[in-house]
Amino acid sequence: MAVLVQLSIIYIAGTTMDASLLIALATFAFISTVTPGPNNLMLLASGAQYGYLRTLPHIIGIVVGVAGLMIGTLMGLGALFTLFPILYSVLKVLGIAYLLWLAFKIATAPTHELEARNSSSRGPFKWWEGALFQLINPKAWMMALASVGTFSMPGEQYVTSGVAIVLAFSLIGFPCVSVWAIAGAKIRLWLSSPARRKQFNLTMGAATAATLFLIV
């Protein structure tokens, strides 16, 4: 993975951007993907409940979904928010409703092993669920709109700079969001009693709901 990242950075720097702009893009991608948000808090909870390997499809889905938003924005999808501002309001309402539902499911997740096995709980996200969630994730849209608006280059370099943006967020984003799932998996060792699991579930449910401040 490290070699792939290095080769990709060399490609981006050599074909599209000078070093300073590349560093700025990489820094923005790192800060945007590693800081708390709906995706990362959901991965933390999933890692604690299911472990890293079962959470891996969710991680892949996030990377795929964010890349899809970047590509869509590069193709002009982001301009729809300027032409039809009501669309962003609809996005916020859908995002709020879904996040509240997720916060409730996380807070009320089973705390006993027998309950977890017998529960009709949906289990960890599939990759396509993680990808589709980005469509109503305002933070993901913010990353897509801000990165394309800031780092895409006009004229003949538009396509190659767009490839650079998508690659940067994919290659940097994967390990950044993985850290949250890994942290959740480590916390899982501490959640040795139903009381601790209940406390953790309630805390993570409240934290997920608190990300609504990012939307509002």
Side-chain angles (χ1 to χ4, degrees):
M1 176 63 73
V3 174
L4 180 59
V5 172
Q6 290 174 359
L7 290 175
S8 299
I9 290 176
I10 292 172
Y11 166 78
I12 294 169
T15 60
T16 308
M17 302 176 176
D18 58 32
S20 60
L21 191 58
L22 177 63
I23 292 172
L25 170 60
T27 302
F28 180 72
F30 173 79
I31 293 174
S32 298
T33 54
V34 81
T35 49
N39 283 331
N40 289 338
L41 290 176
M42 288 163 60
L43 290 177
L44 182 64
S46 181
Q49 187 170 3
Y50 305 111
Y52 178 78
L53 290 180
R54 293 186 67 190
T55 303
L56 190 55
H58 188 176
I59 296 172
I60 294 172
I62 290 172
V63 174
V64 171
V66 170
L69 289 190
M70 299 284 180
I71 294 171
T73 303
L74 285 163
M75 296 176 66
L77 186 60
L80 290 176
F81 291 119
T82 301
L83 294 174
F84 306 101
I86 188 64
L87 290 179
Y88 194 74
S89 298
V90 172
L91 172 68
K92 287 201 295 185
V93 170
L94 292 175
I96 288 171
Y98 194 69
L99 281 174
L100 287 176
W101 180 80
L102 284 174
F104 172 78
K105 296 297 290 184
I106 292 171
T108 59
T111 56
H112 292 80
E113 295 296 332
L114 182 60
E115 286 180 348
R117 288 195 296 268
N118 295 334
S119 173
S120 59
S121 175
R122 60 178 313 284
F125 267 41
K126 310 293 191 299
W127 75 267
W128 55 269
E129 292 176 308
L132 289 177
F133 173 67
Q134 306 317 307
L135 293 174
I136 56 171
N137 181 0
K139 184 181 178 182
W141 276 108
M142 178 278 294
M143 291 190 302
L145 295 171
S147 61
V148 171
T150 303
F151 299 105
S152 62
M153 303 179 73
E156 296 179 353
Q157 292 184 309
Y158 186 75
V159 173
T160 52
S161 64
V163 171
I165 293 169
V166 174
L167 279 176
F169 271 86
S170 298
L171 295 173
I172 294 173
F174 182 86
C176 285
V177 299
S178 290
V179 166
W180 289 81
I182 292 171
K186 296 297 183 182
I187 292 173
R188 190 181 188 188
L189 300 176
W190 177 78
L191 302 177
S192 56
S193 68
R196 286 181 176 179
R197 286 194 287 271
K198 182 65 174 179
Q199 181 181 5
F200 177 79
N201 291 345
L202 290 173
T203 300
M204 293 310 304
T208 301
T211 60
L212 293 177
F213 290 106
L214 297 174
I215 301 175
V216 178

